[in-house]
Amino acid sequence: MIEKIKFLKNLAVFNDFDWDSAVIDDSSNVLLLKKTNIIYGRNYSGKTTLSRVIRAMETGSISEKYENPECCISIHDNDDVTQVDFSSHNKVIRVFNDDFIKQNLKFIINPNENVEPFAILGGDNNVIEEEIKVLKEKLGVNEENQETALYKDLKSLQKSYDTAKLVHQTAERTLASQLNEKAIGNPNGIKYNSEKYGDQNYTNAKLRKEILVVKKDEFVPISDEEKTAEEKMLLEQAKDDIPDLKELILSFEIFSTKTKELVEKPIAQSDKIEDLVKDAVLNRWVKEGRDLHKDKLDTCAFCSSEIKETRWDELEKHFDEESDKLEKEITDLVTEIKNESKLLDSIKIIKKDDFYSKYHGEFETAKAAFDNSIINYQRTLGLLISQLEKRKNEIINAQLFEAPDNAKSHVDIAVEKIEELRVKSNEYTEKLSKDQEKAKKKLRLREIYDFIATIKYNEQVANIDLLKTKLEEEKKKRDDKQVEIDDVLSQVSEKQRQLKDESKGADKVNELLNNYFGHNFLSLKAIEFEDEDTGNKHYRFEIHRENKKAFHLSEGENSLIAFCYFMAKLQDIETKGKKPIIWIDDPISSLDSNHIFFIYTLINTQIYGEDDFEQLFISTHNLNFLKYLKRLPNANNDDKKSERKKLYRYLVIERNDKKSSIKIMPNYLRDYVSEFNYLFSQIYKCSTMENVDDSSYTAFYNFGNNARKFLELYLYYKYPDSTSPMDKMKKFFGDENIPAVFTDRLNNEYSHLSGVFERGETVVEVPEMNTAAKLIIERIKEEDFDQYEALLTSIGESQ
C-alpha cells in the first residue's frame, strides 16, 4: 500500500508540501494512509494535482507543463517512488480523473472521436473457463502465508534456496573478511605495513593472486634465519642520491703567467733620480710624500722648506705613468689572487653523512686529501703574492720570477677521488633499493604462506565450493518450479485471450448505466471494424442515443458515462484479479443529489462488493457525497479501533492563497458531514480570531462567501417565505439597520465584489470580518440558544 506522499514541490498549488510535518495527530505523531482514504477539498485546492501524481505511477510520466516537479511516494515493502522514475514499483494503479477521461473518452473533447475499447472475460465458452479453473487450482493461492499447490511448493523451494544462499554467502563473507583484514586491514594489514612488506597500494586482488603463488608446489618460503636477515636489511635506510659536485674553477696558470709578466717587466731608466733608484725604501717614502703634498702644500711638511717648481718636475719625471700603471696592475692581480684564496676558505664539499657508513672511511681520507690540496694551493698563491708585493715595493727594478709548483693538479685529483666515491654511493643506493624490494616480497610471501595455514584457507575454499554446488542445485529446483508455474500462467493467459471479448466491455458499461442510473436511452456500443493494414478485426466504442451516435451530451451525462466506463474497466483483463490501488478524483461533477447517491452505491457494491483492491482513495469537494462515503463498509466502527487496526483515513486539502497542504480531517467535518456545520465552523473561527496567520488566513479570505451561504441557508429555514434577503437580515438582526446593512455589505462585496472590483486586489480587512462574524454568532446565540449549542458541539467547541 501507499503509506504516505512524503513531499510535493513545484506541482501547481503544492509548492513545498511535507507529509511528516503536516499529517500529524494532536500528539504530533505522523499518521499513515490506510486501506480506504477519504479526501475532502474545496474546488481549486489541489485534488486533481494529487491524482495526477498517483496517475504518473500508472502511466510512467507526468505532465511536462510542471516546471521542475519533485515528489516522493512511500510504498510499503518497496523503494520510494520519485519523479526520477515513476515506474519503480510493482503495484497496479488505476486512477479516475480528468486526464483519464481525456485519454479514454475522447468524444467529450471532440464529438467525432470514440471511446477507447477494452476487453473483459467473456462468459460463453464454458469449456475454456473450466480449463482455466483447473489450471488455477493447479497453481493454487499466492497470498502471503496462505500459499497452496504449486505456489506452496515454490515457496518451500524458495526457502531452501534462501537458506543455501545464506549459508554460502556467510562462508564467502567469512573468508572474504579474513582476506580483507590481511590485505587492507588497519593497522595490521599488508597495505599498512609497506615498510616491511612493500606495496602501499596493496589490495584484496593482489592478495588472492599471491595466494595462488604460495600454493604452488615449487614455492619454497624463506627460513626463519633468512627472515631475520631480510628484516635487518630493511633497517638500512636508503639515502637520496648525492648531487654532482659543483665544478671548481681555479686560475693558477693564469695567475702564474701574469705574475711572471709583472715581476719581470722592465721600467725605462731615463730621467730617474739615481738615489731613489738605488734605494727602494727611500723611493717608496718619496712617492708617498709626493702623493701627500701634490696640489695641497707648497712647502715641505717635514722640513718646512719651499718645494720649488724644478723639484716638482724632477719628481714627475721619476714617478712617470709607466711605473704607476705597473703598480696598479700588480695591485689588481694581488686582489684577484686573494679573492680566489678567500673563496676556497668558504667552499662547501659533500658531508660525510651523505654517504653510507661503509664509505665513511674512504670519504674521510679523500676529504683530508682535498683539504690539504686546498691549503697547498693557497700557499702557492701566497708565493705569487709575495713576488708581486716585492716588485711593487721595488717598482723601478725588474725582478727574477721564481715559478712555484702547480698545486692545482693536487686539488683536481682530490676532487676526482670524491666524485668517484659519490658515484659508488649512488650506485649502492639503487642496489640497496632493489635488494630491499626483493626482501620485502620474500617477507610478504612468507607472511601469506603462514596466514593461509593459520586460517585453513584450503579447507574453507573446499567448503565454499561444496556450498556453491548445493546452492546451484537448490536454485535449479526453484527455477524449474518457477518455469512450471510460468508455463501454467502462460496457459491461463492464452485461454483468457481466447475468451477475450471487447464487446463485453461495452455491455458492462451499459449494465452499470442501466442498473444504477436508469439511463436506458444512453448506451455504449462496440463497433467491429477491420484493420486495413493487417486485416485483423478490432472494436471501437461509440456512445449511442436511440441507436444513433450521440452528440451534445450534457456535463452530467459525460460524468456518468465516464465513471461507469472507469468502473467497468476495473473488470478488464489487465486489472481483474490483480488487487489494484484505485484513486477516484471527484466523480460527481455536475451531478444532482440522486446521481451522487448512485455513484456512492456503485463504489460500495462494485469495489467493496468485489473486494478486489489493495487500497482505495476517493477525493471530493461535495459535502453531501462525503456524507455518503461515511457509510462505506465498517466506516462507522473504524473510529473505535486502535490506530494500527484502522481501515479508514480522513484527510482534508487546505489551500492558503497559492499554497495547499494535506492535513487530518477535523472531527466536526468527519463526524457531522454537512455544509451547514462547516460554514458555521468557518464563521465561528473568524469571530474568535482577530489576527491573520497561516492557520486562519483561509477562514478570513473566504469569509464573505461562507457567511453569504450560511445566512442564505439559516434564514431560509428561519423565514421560509418570499421576504427579500435584506428584510430577512433586518428581521434576524433586529430593528437596527446598521448590523444588517453592514453584514450584507461584507457578504456581497467579499463574496461577489458587487461592483467594487478593486476589492479583489486588496488585503482582507480583518477587523470588519471579525465584527461581522461576531454579530452573526451572537445573534444566533440570542435567537436560538439550543441550536447554537448543537452547532458548537458539532464542530468540537464548548460553550
Side-chain angles (χ1 to χ4, degrees):
M1 291 199 305
I2 298 174
E3 293 188 328
K4 57 183 177 180
I5 301 170
K6 280 190 174 181
F7 63 78
L8 300 170
K9 296 180 180 180
N10 303 323
L11 282 158
V13 290
F14 291 102
N15 292 330
D16 192 13
F17 167 72
D18 177 70
W19 182 280
D20 289 351
S21 61
V23 187
I24 54 178
D25 61 15
D26 294 337
S27 300
S28 297
N29 298 312
V30 178
L31 301 181
L32 302 180
L33 294 166
K34 296 295 183 178
K35 182 171 183 177
T36 301
N37 303 275
I38 310 299
I39 305 170
Y40 174 76
R42 306 297 290 272
N43 287 332
Y44 314 112
S45 62
K47 299 187 301 298
T48 300
T49 299
L50 206 57
S51 72
R52 283 179 174 141
V53 173
I54 304 304
R55 191 165 191 267
M57 295 170 61
E58 176 184 359
T59 63
S61 63
I62 200 166
S63 173
E64 295 179 354
K65 294 183 179 180
Y66 292 118
E67 295 184 8
N68 302 318
E70 295 182 37
C71 60
C72 182
I73 298 92
S74 177
I75 302 178
H76 181 68
D77 289 339
N78 196 95
D79 292 338
D80 290 349
V81 177
T82 69
Q83 75 282 353
V84 176
D85 184 3
F86 282 109
S87 301
S88 61
H89 63 88
N90 56 2
K91 301 297 180 181
V92 177
I93 310 287
R94 295 293 180 261
V95 177
F96 175 81
N97 65 1
D98 286 345
D99 296 334
F100 170 86
I101 296 172
K102 291 174 184 176
Q103 178 180 343
N104 294 281
L105 294 93
K106 299 177 182 177
F107 74 90
I108 292 177
I109 300 173
N110 182 356
N112 294 318
E113 290 282 357
N114 300 305
V115 179
E116 287 293 321
F118 62 90
I120 62 176
L121 297 181
D124 299 330
N125 197 329
N126 295 328
V127 175
I128 296 177
E129 287 182 344
E130 186 61 30
E131 291 174 349
I132 291 173
K133 180 179 178 182
V134 171
L135 289 171
K136 287 187 174 181
E137 289 176 351
K138 182 178 180 181
L139 282 171
V141 176
N142 192 26
E143 294 184 6
E144 189 173 358
N145 298 323
Q146 299 180 17
E147 294 84 356
T148 61
L150 286 179
Y151 284 118
K152 184 177 181 180
D153 295 341
L154 177 63
K155 183 176 182 179
S156 177
L157 292 172
Q158 180 67 44
K159 186 176 181 180
S160 297
Y161 168 77
D162 291 341
T163 301
K165 183 178 181 181
L166 177 61
V167 173
H168 176 258
Q169 287 179 339
T170 301
E172 281 192 325
R173 290 190 187 115
T174 299
L175 179 58
S177 176
Q178 292 173 323
L179 296 178
N180 185 74
E181 186 66 24
K182 174 54 63 177
I184 60 175
N186 191 357
N188 298 318
I190 292 174
K191 176 179 179 179
Y192 292 97
N193 289 276
S194 57
E195 72 282 354
K196 182 175 181 181
Y197 300 120
D199 197 351
Q200 61 183 358
N201 295 316
Y202 203 71
T203 62
N204 281 303
K206 290 180 180 180
L207 174 59
R208 292 178 182 273
K209 186 175 181 181
E210 291 191 325
I211 286 176
L212 297 177
V213 172
V214 303
K215 285 182 62 181
K216 291 181 179 179
D217 294 337
E218 60 268 24
F219 175 78
V220 179
I222 58 175
S223 65
D224 291 342
E225 292 77 11
E226 289 173 320
K227 179 182 176 184
T228 300
E230 299 293 1
E231 288 173 344
K232 286 182 179 179
M233 182 197 293
L234 295 182
L235 296 177
E236 182 73 60
Q237 295 293 322
K239 294 181 178 296
D240 294 334
D241 279 356
I242 302 171
D244 293 343
L245 293 173
K246 186 176 181 181
E247 185 177 2
L248 188 58
I249 302 174
L250 301 177
S251 306
F252 177 78
E253 290 85 352
I254 297 173
F255 292 156
S256 181
T257 301
K258 285 187 175 181
T259 299
K260 183 178 186 304
E261 178 185 337
L262 296 178
V263 168
E264 295 181 346
K265 185 175 183 179
I267 298 294
Q269 297 294 319
S270 60
D271 297 326
K272 301 297 182 184
I273 301 173
E274 186 176 355
D275 291 339
L276 297 182
V277 173
K278 293 178 179 180
D279 191 339
V281 175
L282 181 61
N283 184 76
R284 187 171 61 255
W285 181 77
V286 172
K287 185 177 187 311
E288 292 175 356
R290 169 178 167 265
D291 293 337
L292 291 171
H293 288 73
K294 188 176 181 179
D295 298 327
K296 298 176 184 176
L297 300 172
D298 294 330
T299 59
C300 177
F302 179 71
C303 66
S304 301
S305 299
E306 179 185 359
I307 304 173
K308 295 182 179 179
E309 193 66 32
T310 55
R311 187 58 179 171
W312 279 116
D313 291 340
E314 290 175 353
L315 291 173
E316 287 299 323
K317 290 178 181 179
H318 180 82
F319 298 105
D320 56 11
E321 182 179 351
E322 184 179 7
S323 61
D324 288 343
K325 180 180 179 184
L326 177 59
E327 184 175 351
K328 184 178 182 308
E329 289 177 348
I330 291 172
T331 300
D332 291 344
L333 182 56
V334 168
T335 300
E336 287 184 46
I337 295 172
K338 286 182 177 180
N339 286 341
E340 182 165 292
S341 180
K342 185 177 180 180
L343 181 63
L344 291 173
D345 287 335
S346 61
I347 190 170
K348 293 182 179 179
I349 197 69
I350 303 171
K351 297 181 293 185
K352 181 176 73 173
D353 290 342
D354 292 339
F355 293 85
Y356 290 100
S357 58
K358 66 180 295 185
Y359 296 116
H360 284 180
E362 293 181 63
F363 174 76
E364 288 175 348
T365 301
K367 181 65 165 55
F370 175 78
D371 292 341
N372 289 333
S373 68
I374 293 298
I375 293 171
N376 290 334
Y377 183 73
Q378 289 176 323
R379 182 182 56 79
T380 303
L381 293 180
L383 295 175
L384 294 179
I385 292 172
S386 297
Q387 294 187 64
L388 289 170
E389 292 290 353
K390 182 178 179 182
R391 176 60 196 270
K392 182 179 178 182
N393 291 333
E394 298 181 21
I395 195 68
I396 297 174
N397 301 315
Q399 307 291 323
L400 179 63
F401 176 70
E402 295 180 6
D405 293 336
N406 187 357
K408 177 178 177 298
S409 61
H410 299 291
V411 175
D412 293 339
I413 292 171
V415 170
E416 186 177 349
K417 289 290 185 181
I418 293 175
E419 174 63 15
E420 290 174 357
L421 196 59
R422 183 190 71 83
V423 172
K424 284 172 63 178
S425 181
N426 288 348
E427 289 176 350
Y428 182 73
T429 298
E430 183 177 355
K431 185 176 185 301
L432 175 65
S433 178
K434 291 180 180 179
D435 288 348
Q436 287 182 330
E437 287 303 316
K438 291 178 181 178
K440 289 177 182 178
K441 183 174 181 181
K442 291 177 183 178
L443 291 169
R444 185 172 71 246
L445 293 179
R446 166 64 189 268
E447 179 70 14
I448 294 171
Y449 181 84
D450 293 341
F451 165 71
I452 63 174
T454 301
I455 67 169
K456 297 181 179 179
Y457 177 82
N458 292 339
E459 290 87 338
Q460 288 198 62
V461 170
N463 182 53
I464 289 172
D465 289 340
L466 288 174
L467 294 174
K468 184 177 181 181
T469 300
K470 176 67 174 175
L471 175 63
E472 291 172 348
E473 291 173 356
E474 296 297 336
K475 182 178 184 298
K476 186 177 186 308
K477 292 178 185 177
R478 183 205 62 180
D479 291 347
D480 288 346
K481 185 60 64 176
Q482 184 64 59
V483 169
E484 183 181 356
I485 291 174
D486 291 342
D487 180 62
V488 176
L489 287 172
S490 178
Q491 293 180 51
V492 171
S493 296
E494 177 60 31
K495 293 187 180 299
Q496 285 177 336
R497 278 193 291 272
Q498 294 174 22
L499 289 172
K500 188 174 77 171
D501 187 349
E502 290 178 332
S503 65
K504 298 297 182 182
D507 292 343
K508 184 66 177 177
V509 175
N510 294 330
E511 175 190 332
L512 299 178
L513 278 171
N514 295 332
N515 291 349
Y516 287 89
F517 301 102
H519 278 275
N520 297 317
F521 48 86
L522 275 181
S523 64
L524 189 67
K525 290 193 177 295
I527 309 299
E528 187 178 20
F529 68 96
E530 186 175 287
D531 191 300
E532 295 180 356
D533 297 327
T534 64
N536 295 330
K537 291 188 176 182
H538 298 283
Y539 284 90
R540 67 173 180 269
F541 288 175
E542 291 182 353
I543 300 296
H544 280 232
R545 193 197 305 270
E546 297 180 355
N547 296 320
K548 293 182 181 180
K549 187 172 182 178
F551 297 94
H552 309 302
L553 273 67
S554 69
E555 289 187 14
E557 289 173 328
N558 285 334
S559 296
L560 285 179
I561 292 171
F563 191 67
C564 288
Y565 176 86
F566 174 77
M567 295 298 293
K569 205 169 188 301
L570 293 178
Q571 305 294 319
D572 70 8
I573 60 176
E574 302 298 330
T575 309
K576 181 69 174 176
K578 295 183 180 180
K579 294 281 185 181
I581 295 175
I582 303 171
W583 188 293
I584 300 174
D585 176 40
D586 228 350
I588 46 81
S589 176
S590 302
L591 297 181
D592 58 29
S593 60
N594 194 42
H595 283 128
I596 289 173
F597 176 75
F598 286 138
I599 291 287
Y600 154 73
T601 305
L602 191 58
I603 292 173
N604 192 352
T605 58
Q606 295 297 305
I607 295 181
Y608 277 89
E610 295 285 338
D611 194 24
D612 186 21
F613 69 97
E614 179 179 354
Q615 195 174 18
L616 176 64
F617 295 83
I618 307 174
S619 66
T620 182
H621 75 286
N622 187 285
L623 290 169
N624 197 31
F625 185 50
L626 180 62
K627 175 182 67 178
Y628 289 130
L629 294 177
K630 276 285 294 178
R631 302 179 186 177
L632 288 172
N634 298 315
N636 290 331
N637 298 324
D638 202 57
D639 291 341
K640 302 175 183 178
K641 299 176 183 177
S642 64
E643 174 60 31
R644 186 177 63 85
K645 293 184 178 181
K646 284 184 179 180
L647 300 176
Y648 285 76
R649 174 68 68 216
Y650 294 89
L651 301 169
V652 63
I653 302 178
E654 291 187 356
R655 176 171 178 174
N656 289 332
D657 196 10
K658 296 181 180 180
K659 297 179 65 174
S660 285
S661 179
I662 306 170
K663 297 182 178 179
I664 295 299
M665 187 180 291
N667 290 336
Y668 69 83
L669 189 58
R670 186 187 65 188
D671 297 336
Y672 305 94
V673 183
S674 164
E675 187 171 18
F676 187 67
N677 298 75
Y678 173 77
L679 294 171
F680 177 80
S681 72
Q682 297 300 300
I683 296 171
Y684 184 80
K685 182 185 290 187
C686 288
S687 73
T688 59
M689 295 183 183
E690 299 185 4
N691 296 315
V692 176
D693 56 26
D694 289 342
S695 63
S696 61
Y697 179 82
T698 303
F700 279 110
Y701 189 82
N702 295 323
F703 174 79
N705 196 43
N706 292 336
R708 176 182 58 80
K709 292 175 69 176
F710 176 80
L711 289 174
E712 285 177 358
L713 288 169
Y714 182 80
L715 296 179
Y716 173 78
Y717 287 103
K718 188 171 183 63
Y719 309 112
D721 56 23
S722 59
T723 306
S724 68
M726 178 54 72
D727 290 337
K728 290 181 179 181
M729 293 270 282
K730 290 180 179 179
K731 284 183 181 181
F732 176 63
F733 284 107
D735 295 333
E736 296 183 18
N737 287 330
I738 294 177
V741 174
F742 175 70
T743 303
D744 181 64
R745 173 220 170 206
L746 280 178
N747 296 348
N748 281 285
E749 288 190 13
Y750 285 104
S751 174
H752 303 296
L753 300 183
S754 295
V756 189
F757 294 109
E758 66 274 10
R759 181 69 68 192
E761 301 177 358
T762 59
V763 179
V764 176
E765 297 177 12
V766 177
E768 294 184 3
M769 301 292 186
N770 181 256
T771 300
K774 286 181 177 179
L775 286 172
I776 295 171
I777 295 298
E778 289 299 322
R779 192 58 183 162
I780 295 173
K781 184 176 180 180
E782 294 172 2
E783 285 283 308
D784 192 343
F785 186 76
D786 290 341
Q787 184 176 31
Y788 171 73
E789 280 194 324
L791 284 170
L792 280 182
T793 302
S794 75
I795 65 172
E797 298 287 345
S798 58
Q799 175 61 27

